[in-house]
Amino acid sequence: IASGLPIPFLFVQDHEEQINAFVAGIDPQFTTLTVTRGALDQLNRDELQGVVAHEFSHLLHADTLVNTWLFAIVSGLAGISYVGYKLIQFSSLGSRNRRTVPYTVLFALIFIVIGSLGSLAAQILKAAISRQREYLADSAAVQFTRNKSGIIGALKKISLMPQHFRFGGNSMAREVSYMCISPTTQFWTDTLLATHPP
């Protein structure tokens, strides 16, 4: 009611014991809100309200749309590297004209370097934007609920979770980390690629 948004479709990840939640969808009429079993079991009513309000902020401020665009950019730049790797694979299979092989490898290396550097820069930008949107969602949660202790308590519990960076061992955890209220994975480059502020 406080956000003025329609009620999204609601889902529970029963198999996930960690505290987490996320929203998906671009059209406000067709959005989903998912919470984990861990969030339902470990958070009290005020904390759960704070988490849900945090997720509603992502819907209200069209963060899912922003993240879709950023994901498309990162994927596109990664695709340039993929083309480079395929060119190297093609040249290693042999060519009828041996004079073209060095040029093919050179073009492939250029593709790989441009794609890799562009993808890394885009991922750093995506993480920085995601961290700022998380701050906004936290403040909006307080605005919606008129209760700062709810979101504060939830974030404290999230920060104390053991192995909170594991998300069911799923290989796609890194790709969806920006969608969730708590990090789904941990990077060796945490300061640059972390999708959530401390």
Side-chain angles (χ1 to χ4, degrees):
I1 293 171
S3 69
L5 292 172
I7 298 173
F9 296 101
L10 305 174
F11 296 94
V12 176
Q13 280 187 307
D14 272 323
H15 62 280
E16 189 58 55
E17 295 302 319
Q18 303 294 352
I19 299 172
N20 224 326
F22 62 90
V23 290
I26 296 172
D27 184 345
Q29 300 297 323
F30 300 101
T31 55
T32 63
L33 169 64
T34 303
V35 295
T36 60
R37 173 56 55 192
L40 295 177
D41 292 343
Q42 298 175 49
L43 300 178
N44 64 35
R45 185 177 189 273
D46 287 343
E47 292 165 347
L48 191 57
Q49 277 186 335
V51 167
V52 170
H54 172 104
E55 296 304 325
F56 264 81
S57 172
H58 287 310
L59 291 175
L60 180 66
H61 297 110
D63 291 345
T64 52
L65 180 61
V66 171
N67 287 326
T68 300
W69 279 101
L70 290 171
F71 182 77
I73 291 168
V74 171
S75 299
L77 290 167
I80 294 173
S81 293
Y82 178 78
V83 169
Y85 287 116
K86 283 299 179 185
L87 283 173
I88 287 179
Q89 185 181 23
F90 172 74
S91 66
S92 67
L93 293 175
S95 172
R96 292 180 183 169
N97 187 352
R98 292 287 177 195
R99 293 180 184 175
T100 63
V101 171
Y103 296 111
T104 304
V105 171
L106 178 63
F107 279 120
L109 291 175
I110 291 171
F111 274 103
I112 290 170
V113 169
I114 290 172
S116 297
L117 292 177
S119 181
L120 178 62
Q123 286 180 1
I124 291 170
L125 177 65
K126 182 177 88 166
I129 290 172
S130 179
R131 288 192 297 269
Q132 292 304 312
R133 303 308 275 185
E134 290 299 315
Y135 283 127
L136 175 62
D138 291 341
S139 62
V142 175
Q143 177 188 0
F144 294 156
T145 62
R146 304 288 193 263
N147 178 7
K148 65 182 178 182
S149 63
I151 190 67
I152 289 172
L155 292 174
K156 282 182 179 177
K157 286 183 180 178
I158 289 169
S159 70
L160 296 174
M161 280 192 310
Q163 301 176 341
H164 69 279
F165 48 84
R166 294 183 184 168
F167 199 61
N170 194 306
S171 61
M172 295 298 289
R174 182 176 181 172
E175 281 73 17
V176 300
S177 183
Y178 66 89
M179 294 173 58
C180 299
I181 192 168
S182 66
T184 59
T185 186
Q186 188 176 45
F187 307 109
W188 61 272
T189 52
D190 254 352
T191 54
L192 289 178
L193 297 182
T195 56
H196 293 68

